[in-house]
Amino acid sequence: MTAHNGRWRLRHPGEKAFLAFGLLACAVALPTWPGAVLSGGTAAALLLGPARVSAVVLLRAARVPVLFVTTSAVPLLVAVQPSGGVSWNPNGAGEALTATGRALAALLCLLLFSATTPLSDVIPRLRRLGVPAAVTEVAGVTYRMIFLLVDSLRTVREAQAARLGYRSWRTAYRSLAGQAAAVFVRAFARARRLEEGLALRGYAGSLAVQVEPRRVSPGFVAATLALLAAVVVASLRLRGPS
């Protein structure tokens, strides 16, 4: 709900995409130090500052990807010998830090876009970029169904907890199995109702969606260009001659 209620909710998605993916390009193309660090730090500062995204929400959204990134960097610390043995990689620490820093910077840049731009604002505009209607409609339906399934999952879990379904490991496993079965049945039923509803409304292969008009702010675009240029220049200066 942060993207729907955020301070940048009414900005054009293209503006935010230009800012976020511009910083992402800097994080990928520039050296990890200081390019990726500056790009990720700028994205984090924008999220917590002008975008007014709560730090709690940001940490909650980033905790699983951060765990995945850090655990994925661990194998870089060791090297597999031709004989099949495993030894310490002398260059592993630097490689792990480089990969982790660049991945975390890219994650913050992506969160800058996803935490400020609802998917409902992005999907209808993808058609103007040449994305087939079938792809955007499947994405929109999937996006909607995710929230319905999460709501169903929460309802079933609360009902099971009220019946002491998680008082022990045995009952917890039984409740989880019943929860999966119940959510599957509900998902199947909702999908069938959705198909019947579209057929009754004369669905002919495309859905007409009203897109709220948004104007691109020249000031925001100019500020983004200046910010990206500042990140590049600062990275090159701090990096120094190679």
Coordinates of all heavy atoms in Angstrom, one line a residue, residues 2-3 20 47 61 107 109-119:
T2 N 2.2 1.1 0.2 CA 3.0 2.3 0.2 C 3.0 3.0 -1.1 O 3.0 4.2 -1.2 CB 4.5 1.9 0.6 OG1 4.4 1.3 1.9 CG2 5.4 3.1 0.7
A3 N 3.1 2.3 -2.2 CA 3.1 2.9 -3.5 C 1.8 3.6 -3.8 O 1.8 4.7 -4.5 CB 3.3 1.8 -4.6
A20 N 14.8 5.9 -11.3 CA 15.3 4.6 -10.7 C 16.2 3.8 -11.6 O 17.2 3.3 -11.2 CB 14.0 3.8 -10.3
L47 N 14.4 7.5 -1.1 CA 13.3 6.7 -0.6 C 12.9 7.2 0.8 O 11.7 7.4 1.1 CB 13.6 5.2 -0.5 CG 13.5 4.4 -1.7 CD1 14.2 3.1 -1.6 CD2 12.1 4.2 -2.1
A61 N 10.7 -4.8 3.1 CA 10.7 -5.2 1.7 C 12.1 -5.7 1.3 O 12.1 -6.5 0.3 CB 10.3 -4.0 0.8
L107 N 19.3 -3.4 -5.9 CA 18.1 -3.6 -5.1 C 17.5 -2.3 -4.6 O 16.3 -2.1 -4.8 CB 18.4 -4.5 -3.9 CG 17.3 -4.7 -2.9 CD1 16.1 -5.4 -3.6 CD2 17.7 -5.6 -1.7
C109 N 17.8 0.6 -5.9 CA 17.3 1.4 -7.1 C 16.0 0.8 -7.6 O 15.1 1.5 -7.9 CB 18.3 1.3 -8.2 SG 19.9 2.1 -7.9
L110 N 15.8 -0.5 -7.5 CA 14.6 -1.1 -7.9 C 13.5 -0.8 -6.9 O 12.3 -0.6 -7.3 CB 14.7 -2.6 -8.1 CG 15.6 -3.1 -9.3 CD1 15.8 -4.6 -9.3 CD2 15.0 -2.7 -10.6
L111 N 13.8 -0.8 -5.6 CA 12.9 -0.5 -4.6 C 12.4 1.0 -4.7 O 11.3 1.3 -4.4 CB 13.4 -0.7 -3.2 CG 13.6 -2.2 -2.8 CD1 14.3 -2.3 -1.4 CD2 12.2 -2.9 -2.7
L112 N 13.3 1.8 -5.2 CA 12.9 3.2 -5.4 C 11.7 3.3 -6.4 O 10.9 4.2 -6.3 CB 14.1 4.0 -6.0 CG 13.9 5.5 -6.3 CD1 13.4 6.3 -5.1 CD2 15.1 6.1 -6.9
F113 N 11.7 2.5 -7.4 CA 10.6 2.5 -8.4 C 9.4 1.7 -7.8 O 8.3 2.2 -7.9 CB 11.1 1.8 -9.7 CG 10.0 1.8 -10.8 CD1 9.6 3.0 -11.4 CD2 9.4 0.7 -11.1 CE1 8.7 3.0 -12.4 CE2 8.4 0.6 -12.1 CZ 8.0 1.8 -12.7
S114 N 9.6 0.5 -7.3 CA 8.5 -0.3 -6.9 C 7.8 0.2 -5.7 O 6.5 0.1 -5.5 CB 9.0 -1.7 -6.6 OG 9.9 -1.7 -5.6
A115 N 8.5 0.9 -4.8 CA 7.8 1.5 -3.6 C 7.1 2.8 -3.8 O 6.4 3.3 -2.9 CB 8.9 1.7 -2.5
T116 N 7.3 3.4 -5.0 CA 6.7 4.6 -5.3 C 5.7 4.6 -6.5 O 5.0 5.5 -6.7 CB 7.7 5.7 -5.6 OG1 8.5 5.3 -6.7 CG2 8.6 6.0 -4.4
T117 N 5.7 3.4 -7.2 CA 4.8 3.3 -8.4 C 4.0 2.1 -8.3 O 4.5 1.0 -8.4 CB 5.7 3.2 -9.6 OG1 6.7 4.3 -9.6 CG2 4.9 3.4 -10.9
P118 N 2.7 2.2 -8.2 CA 1.8 1.1 -8.2 C 1.8 0.4 -9.6 O 1.9 1.0 -10.6 CB 0.4 1.7 -7.9 CG 0.6 3.0 -7.4 CD 1.9 3.5 -8.0
L119 N 1.7 -0.9 -9.6 CA 1.8 -1.7 -10.8 C 0.5 -1.4 -11.7 O 0.6 -1.5 -12.9 CB 1.8 -3.2 -10.5 CG 2.2 -4.1 -11.7 CD1 3.5 -3.8 -12.2 CD2 2.1 -5.6 -11.2

